[in-house]
Amino acid sequence: MIFKFFFLVAYFAFSAEASILSPPYPQTSTDQSNVLRYLNGGPFVENTGFGLPLDPPYGCKIEQVQLFMRHGERYPTKSAGKTFETLYQKLKNDTVTSYSGPLAFVKDLEYFVNDPENYEMESTKGVYSGLLEAYRLGAFFRERYESLLDSSSVVPIFAASQQRVVDTARSFGKGLFLDQYNSSCSIQIINEVGKMNGANTLTPITNCLSYNTSLYQHTFGENIYQAEAERLNALSPGFNITPDDIFTMGAYCGYELNVKGKSDMCQALSMDAFQALQYQDDLQKFYQFGPGHNMSAVSGGLLANASAQLLQEDRKVVFSFMHDNDLLTYFTALGLPTDTELSTEEIEFHRSFKTSEFIPQGARLIIEKLNCSDSENVRFIVNDKVYPLPGCSSGPGFTCPLEETIELLTPEHEYAEACGLPDDRPHELTFYWDWEPTFTDN
């Protein structure tokens, strides 16, 4: 009898039909151990979202799509690169007789930027290539929004003027139009150098004369970085890792992933260190370009107001490429980060504001206008996940009714007045309407 009992247990445990060991819905949760969620400058990672499907709600048809996107994965800036090179030289020059522990990889480590000309440019190789990510997104748009594309007319793609942004826009356009790229797509470069463009810009932070980005002066994580440095020095004798090195190592990890697709530096750091690194970056962004800055929503309101105007038109597609900080002000204007302040003393684990959720490399905000039988509604997709607007989700599939969306997108303060723009600079954003087809920059 006992034998029969154990036989039945074994049968059901290993029977493919019973699926006891392979439940249809996984009972594990590993997403938050993904290192991409804790990196400063690392590769794109999807928003965690709310489980809502990307397919349009039942009875709804997409009438218009707007895309606001950060440039894709890139090499570090020249200044960051100098810091990484200094760390690299220090690690290679430390007196180590026997490479062991978390830093054993340093013995064979090679610096990941092999050409100084690549600094600040999009990455072109590896699984996290910035240009490849943009191309694939363009291909996704071609499939998803094919009915909105008119092959007989020229489609503008608007891009801030820094080369990495323009390159991302071009790669997206090539993925979208394939062999018709040169005839169907016109890259519209919006100058971001200086402040003469005033409100007619994709980089409203730069052009806002009253926007002070030096308000945040706090530091965070010294004790955690100190403990991490002591851990590494104990486990890998011969190195002299300092708390400052920990911050640099975290950033090194992210950019090496962008360029090479892998990084042993990521494996060396503990999750405690990554939590502190992420929170330090979140604090800086929150108080410089997020809800913690009094001018952030004003800056993002410029682009939000343009979206509101476009939603009221018959235009089918609108594509815009920019930088992370300007995109973050747009998210702030929408009210998507719901925190009003963040502690500078300890990590607030229950915060909604995380830079990896809103502005990783290649971050994108997709706005879809939907015709739902007897109503028009709008939904927002943040980094590939449907993201209902706080306080406005009464439409089908938790969308926001068009009229309410337009009201929410209309800024409380006029950008030109709040930013103190002089009379000789544009006080309105007009490039979405007064552009002219050009193919010289394709």
Side-chain angles (χ1 to χ4, degrees):
M1 191 62 145
I2 295 177
F3 173 82
K4 183 177 181 181
F5 170 78
F6 280 107
F7 174 81
L8 290 174
V9 170
Y11 173 81
F12 283 110
F14 294 100
S15 169
E17 292 183 356
S19 300
I20 293 176
L21 298 183
S22 301
Y25 303 103
Q27 294 171 288
T28 58
S29 179
T30 59
D31 189 61
Q32 292 304 318
S33 63
N34 181 351
V35 73
L36 298 185
R37 299 207 171 278
Y38 305 94
L39 296 180
N40 174 7
F44 174 82
V45 60
E46 288 185 342
N47 191 286
T48 52
F50 302 94
L52 299 174
L54 275 179
D55 289 339
Y58 177 76
C60 296
K61 180 180 179 181
I62 301 173
E63 289 188 329
Q64 183 192 88
V65 60
Q66 299 180 28
L67 169 68
F68 293 85
M69 182 173 175
R70 180 189 183 184
H71 59 75
E73 290 82 351
R74 63 172 172 82
Y75 284 80
T77 62
K78 293 179 181 179
S79 59
K82 290 181 180 179
T83 304
F84 296 154
E85 288 186 68
T86 299
L87 172 68
Y88 171 78
Q89 293 299 334
K90 174 182 178 177
L91 293 174
K92 299 297 285 188
N93 292 335
D94 274 338
T95 303
V96 180
T97 56
S98 178
Y99 289 89
S100 61
L103 298 179
F105 71 91
V106 172
K107 180 180 180 180
D108 301 315
L109 181 64
E110 296 181 359
Y111 185 49
F112 63 92
V113 182
N114 55 15
D115 186 348
E117 294 295 321
N118 288 331
Y119 280 122
E120 305 189 11
M121 303 301 289
E122 295 292 271
S123 56
T124 58
K125 299 179 180 179
V127 296
Y128 301 120
S129 162
L131 293 185
L132 177 59
E133 175 74 14
Y135 185 92
R136 289 188 299 197
L137 184 65
F140 169 80
F141 267 62
R142 184 178 71 250
E143 179 177 355
R144 181 176 179 83
Y145 304 111
E146 182 179 15
S147 63
L148 303 181
L149 296 172
D150 181 2
S151 59
S152 64
S153 61
V154 176
V155 175
I157 296 181
F158 302 94
S161 60
Q162 281 202 19
Q163 191 61 50
R164 60 179 177 269
V165 181
V166 175
D167 288 344
T168 300
R170 287 172 174 161
S171 192
F172 170 85
K174 291 175 181 178
L176 180 65
F177 291 107
L178 297 179
D179 58 348
Q180 295 181 330
Y181 168 74
N182 288 325
S183 59
S184 298
C185 171
S186 176
I187 304 296
Q188 300 288 309
I189 299 177
I190 311 301
N191 182 45
E192 59 178 292
V193 179
K195 303 177 185 293
M196 293 307 296
N197 275 26
N200 198 27
T201 180
L202 276 170
T203 51
I205 296 172
T206 302
N207 289 11
C208 183
L209 302 181
S210 58
Y211 202 120
N212 183 356
T213 59
S214 62
L215 293 178
Y216 175 70
Q217 299 295 337
H218 300 288
T219 58
F220 180 84
E222 293 96 333
N223 293 339
I224 301 175
Y225 299 152
Q226 179 65 45
E228 183 72 355
E230 292 174 359
R231 182 186 74 89
L232 291 176
N233 290 331
L235 295 176
S236 295
F239 290 96
N240 181 30
I241 303 299
T242 68
D244 288 342
D245 292 335
I246 300 301
F247 181 82
T248 306
M249 291 171 69
Y252 190 113
C253 154
Y255 283 102
E256 188 171 35
L257 286 177
N258 291 342
V259 174
K260 295 176 59 178
K262 58 183 180 179
S263 175
D264 290 321
M265 198 73 75
C266 302
Q267 302 298 321
L269 297 175
S270 69
M271 185 53 68
D272 284 5
F274 278 120
Q275 291 282 358
L277 289 164
Q278 180 198 38
Y279 194 69
Q280 180 176 352
D281 190 46
D282 288 352
L283 277 176
Q284 178 180 337
K285 295 293 188 182
F286 183 87
Y287 285 106
Q288 286 189 332
F289 309 106
H293 196 292
N294 65 327
M295 291 295 293
S296 179
V298 172
S299 179
L302 179 70
L303 299 175
N305 187 55
S307 283
Q309 296 179 55
L310 292 165
L311 283 171
Q312 299 174 72
E313 298 178 359
D314 293 331
R315 193 180 310 199
K316 301 298 184 182
V317 295
V318 184
F319 306 126
S320 306
F321 291 80
M322 60 195 66
H323 298 280
D324 56 342
N325 296 331
D326 296 292
L327 184 57
L328 181 53
T329 65
Y330 193 147
F331 287 130
T332 301
L334 289 175
L336 298 189
T338 56
D339 303 284
T340 57
E341 62 179 346
L342 293 181
S343 171
T344 59
E345 302 298 326
E346 61 182 5
I347 297 176
E348 292 196 12
F349 287 99
H350 302 286
R351 67 194 183 278
S352 71
F353 185 89
K354 295 181 179 180
T355 51
S356 64
E357 293 281 359
F358 290 108
I359 51 168
Q361 303 274 11
R364 49 255 193 181
L365 168 64
I366 299 171
I367 304 173
E368 293 179 340
K369 182 169 73 171
L370 306 170
N371 186 326
C372 301
S373 301
D374 58 350
S375 65
E376 285 189 305
N377 298 272
V378 181
R379 72 172 176 174
F380 295 78
I381 300 172
V382 177
N383 297 329
D384 299 353
K385 297 295 183 180
V386 176
Y387 207 103
L389 284 183
C392 189
S393 56
S394 61
F398 304 101
T399 56
C400 184
L402 177 61
E403 296 78 8
E404 295 181 42
T405 304
I406 293 171
E407 183 177 348
L408 288 170
L409 290 176
T410 303
E412 181 179 351
H413 303 286
E414 287 293 333
Y415 175 86
E417 180 180 356
C419 291
L421 296 185
D423 293 338
D424 63 346
R425 300 180 190 180
H427 282 214
E428 296 181 354
L429 191 158
T430 63
F431 61 79
Y432 286 124
W433 295 273
D434 57 19
W435 66 278
E436 296 182 0
T438 176
F439 303 96
T440 58
D441 293 309
N442 280 18

